[in-house]
Amino acid sequence: MNILVGCKVVFEEQDIAVNSDNSLDFSRANPKISQFDLNALQVAVDIKSTIPEANIKVVSIGGKNLENSKVRKDILSRGADELNIVMSDKFENILASDTAEIFKLAAQNLGFDLIICADGSADLFAGQVGIRTASLLNVPAINAVSKIISVDSSKIVVLRELENETQELEIALPAVICVSADINEPAIPGMKAILAAAKKPVNSLNLEVNLNNLVNLVEVKAPKRKDRLKIIAQSDSDEALAEFISNFKKAL
């Protein structure tokens, strides 16, 4: 079984500074794997524990942050058999529609039985890449997957959590699944896995990419902060509660 996992490299959130005009300063932020993609990679590793012949290939699309050796080693230490990168300055701030086009080409190049993505990325969380990629590949897809019940060479059975119900779904392979953040707790790599990561292959995919530029990223800004009103309810009387509700409505 050939399993592809999408892993996006993003900036460490706590290192991002907010400028006076609410623009974001990434100059001191270090790159890392998107937290939600760690869940997707862990799902692949768990599947491989039941299907030992499965091969896990990570696909990462982006700009110069993909050159970071620490990030590469981190990906490979978490159970991936190989890392495949599609890197270009043009992909520095790439959005979902173009990412899906490139992912489709990578999947066709590498071959796949199952593609696993997170429901969204830690930076933009557009929630589109997995579903768009499946559409371009003309294979079934499902998002919000909260549990893998079973998987074999022909199908995968999953649970999907919706707002008011849980669905059990069987999907024929090849397919794409997008997993939620609560599907697992990603394992922390041990020293043996970290040392073994240095021997695993990192491949640069040279693909004929024609971006459609359906959407262009103009800017990303932090929301404007509002000053605290510093109104504190002093008691739980009916009058104080009514005043609190009134102030709450005004704040909204």
Side-chain angles (χ1 to χ4, degrees), residues 143-157:
N143 62 353
V145 173
S146 58
K147 184 178 181 180
I148 308 297
I149 296 177
S150 66
V151 59
D152 59 36
S153 60
S154 63
K155 67 181 183 302
I156 183 169
V157 181

Side-chain angles (χ1 to χ4, degrees), residues 48 54-58 75-76 79-83 199-201:
K48 185 169 182 174
N55 190 257
I56 302 173
K57 300 180 180 181
V58 168
I75 291 173
L76 291 169
D81 294 300
E82 64 180 68
L83 170 60
K199 300 178 181 179
K200 294 181 179 180

Side-chain angles (χ1 to χ4, degrees), residues 112 115 131 133-141 172 174-176:
F112 69 97
I115 296 176
I131 301 299
T133 300
S135 177
L136 293 169
L137 291 168
N138 195 30
V139 298
V176 176

Side-chain angles (χ1 to χ4, degrees), residues 110-131:
L110 297 168
F112 69 97
D113 298 293
L114 178 64
I115 296 176
I116 306 174
C117 297
D119 270 335
S121 60
D123 50 0
L124 299 178
F125 207 86
Q128 299 179 26
V129 171
I131 301 299

Side-chain angles (χ1 to χ4, degrees), residues 27-71:
S27 60
R28 297 184 181 180
N30 293 313
K32 67 169 187 175
I33 312 168
S34 173
Q35 181 64 37
F36 305 118
D37 291 337
L38 294 180
N39 298 108
L41 186 49
Q42 185 63 51
V43 169
V45 172
D46 292 342
I47 290 174
K48 185 169 182 174
S49 68
T50 63
I51 306 177
E53 66 272 18
N55 190 257
I56 302 173
K57 300 180 180 181
V58 168
V59 176
S60 194
I61 302 163
K64 62 180 181 294
N65 280 337
L66 290 178
E67 296 175 345
N68 189 288
S69 59
K70 184 178 179 181
V71 174

Side-chain angles (χ1 to χ4, degrees), residues 7-237:
C7 281
K8 186 176 185 180
V9 176
V10 300
F11 286 110
E12 181 66 61
E13 294 87 354
Q14 64 184 13
D15 296 335
I16 301 172
V18 179
N19 298 319
S20 58
D21 63 350
N22 288 343
S23 61
L24 303 180
D25 179 3
F26 300 100
S27 60
R28 297 184 181 180
N30 293 313
K32 67 169 187 175
I33 312 168
S34 173
Q35 181 64 37
F36 305 118
D37 291 337
L38 294 180
N39 298 108
L41 186 49
Q42 185 63 51
V43 169
V45 172
D46 292 342
I47 290 174
K48 185 169 182 174
S49 68
T50 63
I51 306 177
E53 66 272 18
N55 190 257
I56 302 173
K57 300 180 180 181
V58 168
V59 176
S60 194
I61 302 163
K64 62 180 181 294
N65 280 337
L66 290 178
E67 296 175 345
N68 189 288
S69 59
K70 184 178 179 181
V71 174
R72 292 183 178 189
K73 184 177 288 187
D74 192 15
I75 291 173
L76 291 169
S77 69
R78 293 176 181 272
D81 294 300
E82 64 180 68
L83 170 60
N84 299 274
I85 62 174
V86 187
M87 184 173 63
S88 170
D89 290 341
K90 295 183 296 183
F91 305 155
E92 196 68 46
N93 293 305
I94 195 169
L95 297 180
S97 56
D98 289 324
T99 301
E101 289 281 354
I102 299 169
F103 206 151
K104 176 201 73 172
L105 296 174
Q108 291 174 332
N109 181 282
L110 297 168
F112 69 97
D113 298 293
L114 178 64
I115 296 176
I116 306 174
C117 297
D119 270 335
S121 60
D123 50 0
L124 299 178
F125 207 86
Q128 299 179 26
V129 171
I131 301 299
R132 282 179 175 270
T133 300
S135 177
L136 293 169
L137 291 168
N138 195 30
V139 298
I142 185 168
N143 62 353
V145 173
S146 58
K147 184 178 181 180
I148 308 297
I149 296 177
S150 66
V151 59
D152 59 36
S153 60
S154 63
K155 67 181 183 302
I156 183 169
V157 181
V158 303
L159 288 185
R160 177 165 71 167
E161 295 286 346
L162 301 179
E163 187 173 350
N164 297 313
E165 63 182 27
T166 300
Q167 297 176 332
E168 181 176 326
L169 300 165
E170 180 181 303
I171 314 159
L173 300 182
V176 176
I177 62 170
C178 303
V179 301
S180 64
D182 58 359
I183 193 169
N184 56 40
E185 186 68 34
I188 298 174
M191 184 56 65
K192 183 178 180 181
I194 293 171
L195 293 174
K199 300 178 181 179
K200 294 181 179 180
V202 178
N203 309 313
S204 294
L205 299 182
N206 296 313
L207 306 174
E208 292 287 337
V209 178
N210 295 310
L211 300 183
N212 54 40
N213 294 318
L214 290 175
V215 182
N216 292 313
L217 181 63
V218 177
E219 62 180 351
V220 177
K221 285 192 172 184
K224 291 183 179 180
R225 293 185 179 182
K226 290 185 178 181
D227 293 333
R228 294 180 181 271
L229 298 180
K230 298 179 181 179
I231 299 174
I232 302 173
Q234 299 293 341
S235 72
D236 59 358
S237 66

